Amino acid sequence: MKFYDVIVVGGGAAGFFAAINIAEFNPKLKIAILERGKEGLQKVKVSGGGRCNVTHAEFVPSELVLNYPRGEKELLGPFHQFMTGDTIEWFEKRGVNLKIEEDGRMFPISDSSQTIIDCFLKEAQKHKVEILYGHTLKSIKKNNIWNLETSHGEISTEKLLLATGSNTKIWKILETLGHTISAPVPSLFTFNIKDERITSIPGVVASNVEVKVLSTDLWSEGPLLITHWGMSAPAILKLSAFGAITLAKLDYKFQIEINFIRQSFDDCMENLKELKHELAKKTVFKSTQFELPKRLWQQLVLASGMNDKTRWADLNKQQLEALAQQLTQAVFNVDGKSTFKEEFVTAGGIDLKEVNFKTFESRLHKNLYLAGEILNIDAITGGFNFQNAWTGAYIAAKAISM
């Protein structure tokens, strides 16, 4: 039986980051990464449309944690140990410079995820980390050391780090070791909506809206994108992340209310009454207001019971109220969800009470460490899920290498 000082199961972001850092902290250790695929780092490859959204330009731990629907409380301490600035420095020291985009997302200046993959492979080789591709983990047994049954026979190790992401088979193995798993549900997704107000205007962006899920306390704000299948962009994706469990229970069939102009109904009515006098001779259809995209404004005007010839002067109270309602309280029926690009993020995983977040070691088993999405931690889109991976992997690496 082959023996390693440390085995990292999972050749993804957290797995590679941990293995490399363990090797740097303690070069004497014999380390292997077990990866079930023919190659690793697949999520890194497709992240950010192939550019790899490495992290997010948020440098205050208490602000950074607000982007984690699950894990907010637990990550505060770890982020004081290793967070965004440390990630940037880590990559820079290895020749990978990052850039910040307007929305705060950070990418390699090469705009290619291959830069990150090449960096990891080069560092792993440099530090003599063995990468065992095509090795599927079948079971874990604990004697004095960890015995792993794989598709290529048995191997053993003193210290074991699991960084296998949302892998239900590994979660089942962990249940046999006494760990509790929160049932997985999708976390980042867009809403499927068929509605006459939006079917003809895919590609239109309302830059700052407020969205509520009716009959719940879920709400979010931000840009909203109208798509061929419904709605997307941060306002929707934040809702999908923070509402992952609630929306799964609703079987992804629910109603949302959108305030397109971030004004109250009453304030909107006052503004519309003023516009009725100021623009009396003009048509409502052609005089876009509230900095809305023209095509969206026109659809909301038509949905208020007017036509493209209706003049402001001719609006009665009912029509003004109908328009104010479309602008501030527009209700849409959501019927299903779609995956957001390749950002397949899952809420669910190992119960956070069973992990020591000072070391990312299992509270149930000594020398068993856990990092990345295997834990019940997930984030909104924008580089936050990777930052969780880097932080957990780094802290676990430090503890393992001692």
Side-chain angles (χ1 to χ4, degrees), residues 45-61:
K45 196 174 194 173
V46 298
S47 153
R51 297 196 295 144
C52 190
N53 188 181
V54 175
T55 186
H56 199 95
E58 174 52 74
F59 299 94
V60 181

Side-chain angles (χ1 to χ4, degrees), residues 128-357:
K128 299 183 174 59
V129 173
E130 230 177 292
I131 307 166
L132 307 173
Y133 293 114
H135 278 61
T136 303
L137 182 62
K138 293 183 170 182
S139 71
I140 301 173
K141 290 188 176 66
K142 174 112 185 257
N143 300 318
N144 292 328
I145 56 172
W146 295 102
N147 292 318
L148 279 55
E149 189 194 341
T150 80
S151 52
H152 287 260
E154 287 193 17
I155 47 178
S156 61
T157 183
E158 188 186 338
K159 295 182 179 181
L160 178 61
L161 169 66
L162 298 180
T164 46
S166 307
N167 184 328
T168 48
K169 285 177 182 169
I170 303 297
W171 282 333
K172 283 195 171 74
I173 291 172
L174 278 163
E175 282 181 320
T176 68
L177 294 171
H179 270 290
T180 311
I181 307 298
S182 301
V185 294
S187 173
L188 276 183
F189 50 86
T190 60
F191 294 174
N192 294 351
I193 300 169
K194 286 195 174 101
D195 191 291
E196 281 185 1
R197 288 168 289 180
I198 62 171
T199 47
S200 64
I201 56 168
V204 165
V205 176
S207 60
N208 193 12
V209 308
E210 189 175 288
V211 189
K212 292 177 189 167
V213 178
L214 295 179
S215 306
T216 75
D217 55 2
L218 293 170
W219 72 279
S220 78
E221 59 192 356
L224 180 138
L225 168 68
I226 291 162
T227 68
H228 288 286
W229 59 88
M231 292 180 182
S232 182
I236 299 298
L237 295 169
K238 271 192 265 184
L239 261 190
S240 77
F242 282 91
I245 292 160
T246 302
L247 302 182
K249 284 177 185 165
L250 294 171
D251 197 26
Y252 309 105
K253 291 176 173 59
F254 51 91
Q255 288 188 313
I256 54 173
E257 181 185 285
I258 301 177
N259 187 331
F260 285 106
I261 60 172
R262 304 290 300 275
Q263 286 185 16
S264 70
F265 177 86
D266 292 340
D267 287 348
C268 180
M269 275 298 286
E270 291 305 311
N271 285 323
L272 291 176
K273 283 172 189 170
E274 283 177 26
L275 291 166
K276 179 176 155 76
H277 295 296
E278 286 170 21
L279 305 171
K281 292 179 182 175
K282 294 188 174 176
T283 65
V284 183
F285 188 80
K286 283 192 176 162
S287 39
T288 307
Q289 299 299 316
F290 305 106
E291 296 180 7
L292 282 177
K294 183 174 77 174
R295 291 194 295 156
L296 176 60
W297 167 265
Q298 291 175 344
Q299 289 303 316
L300 297 178
V301 167
L302 296 176
S304 307
M306 304 171 213
N307 60 41
D308 58 357
K309 304 285 191 299
T310 309
R311 296 186 315 151
W312 283 97
D314 301 331
L315 292 182
N316 58 34
K317 188 174 179 242
Q318 282 79 14
Q319 286 171 310
L320 283 170
E321 285 177 346
L323 182 54
Q325 193 153 19
Q326 289 295 333
L327 291 165
T328 64
Q329 301 167 352
V331 175
F332 292 85
N333 294 314
V334 176
D335 185 12
K337 60 174 178 56
S338 296
T339 306
F340 173 64
K341 297 183 180 170
E342 292 88 4
E343 303 276 356
F344 29 86
V345 172
T346 304
I350 298 165
D351 190 316
L352 303 184
K353 291 191 207 71
E354 298 172 1
V355 179
N356 175 357
F357 282 91

